[in-house]
Amino acid sequence: MPPRPRLKPFASNLPLRTRTPPLGIGSAISSSYARRIELSSSSSSCGSGSPSHAYSSSSAEQPPPAPPSRWYSDLKARLGKCIMFGCSREQARQAASVLKALATEWRVLTAGAEGFLIGGRRGLENQQVVWGEMDSFGHVNNANYIRYAESSRVNWIIHFASVDPQNGVKWRELMTPKNTGLIMKSIKAEYKFPMTYPDTISAYHKLRSLPSASDTSLVLDCVILSHNHKRVAARTEEDVVIYDYRAARKTPIPPFALDTFRDIWYQQEKEIRRTRTRIWSLVRDVEALEKETWDRKDAVEDLGAAGKGQS
């Protein structure tokens, strides 16, 4: 499985600029992406119906546009160009601040921008990829991603027992064939690039839509992150049926679970807005640094010691 080609670099939508910097590292936004930002801005001003939930009315607002899938590596490359061009002490401090944010926040921002909540035993975190998980093609066998997703899904369900301790036994029983439980109807995987040993992965689940009292199944999305590459390695789409083992038939989501699932869905929406706002803030920080270094009108590259001997 060959790696995917790199996407074009991007820039923040505030403000929109169409410069085309040299060396292929830059912040020019394609016209299609710019139009998507404009559409998102206009739609957010229209608003939508407010959900019947305790969260504020901001829950109904459109989130910022999703960043491109390679936002992390693109920002690092753009910062590298600023540093190679030459920075003052203050500019170097600014670059270091953004690099620190990328290094410490990449996982929460990558997952959160799509609505995945991390931490608190919500998924499978910091799982070591072992050598035996690779196959004769020299990469992690595709079946292992399904196992990662399975472990993450079980942890995701079980962790609700601590979130809702009054119904802790019922939450744990969802993963058993005793009363009401969950049965996998279908699972579909999308592989982004071939992972290899050594690596570490984290996998997280989220609800695809707001559950209702009549639903007899849940559609879950799972994302599997590579720590070495600091991006998505694979995704799964899972259709999980709510099943009454005693009656041997499908059943609606139990009331105790429905309330929690709905609360989680609103948290997902809130996390999307928070993390995307943070990512675009980092983009603007990098743009500001570019304007102060190689992209200013009177920019002259600092050649350091190599330029001292030139007349």
Side-chain angles (χ1 to χ4, degrees):
M1 182 186 298
R4 300 177 69 202
R6 287 185 59 84
L7 299 181
K8 293 182 179 179
F10 66 103
S12 166
N13 56 316
L14 295 174
L16 288 175
R17 295 189 290 160
T18 57
R19 69 182 188 277
T20 305
L23 302 180
I25 300 175
S27 28
I29 297 182
S30 66
S31 58
S32 61
Y33 190 68
R35 285 196 298 271
R36 184 152 62 95
I37 293 175
E38 292 171 359
L39 289 173
S40 174
S41 299
S42 61
S43 62
S44 64
S45 63
C46 297
S48 58
S50 57
S52 55
H53 195 267
Y55 282 94
S56 65
S57 60
S58 62
S59 299
E61 297 175 0
Q62 290 294 323
S69 60
R70 297 294 188 93
W71 67 270
Y72 173 87
S73 58
D74 184 83
L75 285 186
K76 286 191 67 176
R78 290 167 61 182
L79 282 170
K81 183 179 179 181
C82 293
I83 294 170
M84 290 295 292
F85 183 85
C87 295
S88 66
R89 179 174 297 182
E90 176 60 23
Q91 291 163 353
R93 187 196 64 78
Q94 294 171 1
S97 176
V98 176
L99 285 171
K100 180 180 179 181
L102 293 176
T104 58
E105 301 177 36
W106 73 269
R107 182 165 44 166
V108 66
L109 294 180
T110 300
E114 299 184 30
F116 294 96
L117 305 173
I118 78 170
R121 297 182 176 270
R122 286 191 175 99
L124 180 65
E125 292 192 312
N126 301 316
Q127 176 74 22
Q128 296 293 321
V129 174
V130 299
W131 183 86
E133 290 175 333
M134 293 197 297
D135 56 24
S136 59
F137 289 94
H139 61 73
V140 174
N141 186 269
N142 292 349
N144 288 296
Y145 295 88
I146 303 300
R147 296 190 181 101
Y148 298 151
E150 177 184 57
S151 297
S152 173
R153 182 175 63 256
V154 172
N155 290 349
W156 184 73
I157 290 295
I158 296 300
H159 104 279
F160 290 121
S162 59
V163 174
D164 179 22
Q166 291 183 345
N167 296 296
V169 174
K170 295 180 180 179
W171 280 109
R172 294 184 182 91
E173 286 184 346
L174 286 177
M175 301 310 301
T176 69
K178 294 180 179 179
N179 296 307
T180 299
L182 305 178
I183 292 181
M184 177 65 70
K185 178 181 178 182
S186 66
I187 183 168
K188 180 175 70 175
E190 179 185 3
Y191 305 100
K192 293 301 187 180
F193 70 90
M195 276 200 310
T196 59
Y197 167 87
D199 203 339
T200 302
I201 66 98
S202 290
Y204 303 102
H205 275 73
K206 72 171 184 178
L207 296 163
R208 176 167 292 187
S209 59
L210 179 65
S212 67
S214 60
D215 289 344
T216 58
S217 64
L218 295 169
V219 177
L220 305 177
D221 290 308
C222 175
V223 65
I224 300 169
L225 303 177
S226 162
H227 289 214
N228 280 3
H229 296 269
K230 291 183 172 51
R231 64 186 180 97
V232 177
R235 303 176 187 274
T236 67
E237 174 188 318
E238 306 167 6
D239 191 352
V240 181
V241 173
I242 316 299
Y243 193 76
D244 186 337
Y245 282 93
R246 293 169 297 183
R249 65 182 182 186
K250 295 189 294 185
T251 186
I253 302 173
F256 77 89
L258 179 63
D259 292 340
T260 300
F261 284 151
R262 291 177 65 87
D263 184 71
I264 287 297
W265 190 83
Y266 285 112
Q267 290 184 41
Q268 292 175 182
E269 295 297 293
K270 185 177 180 181
E271 183 69 356
I272 288 175
R273 288 188 293 275
R274 186 190 73 81
T275 52
R276 289 185 183 181
T277 299
R278 173 59 170 160
I279 290 172
W280 288 115
S281 173
L282 293 173
V283 172
R284 288 192 292 270
D285 290 343
V286 173
E287 280 193 330
L289 190 60
E290 288 173 328
K291 290 180 183 178
E292 295 173 1
T293 55
W294 64 264
D295 196 33
R296 69 178 189 268
K297 291 184 179 180
D298 61 341
V300 177
E301 186 171 5
D302 183 1
L303 299 178
K308 293 181 177 179
Q310 297 179 2
S311 57

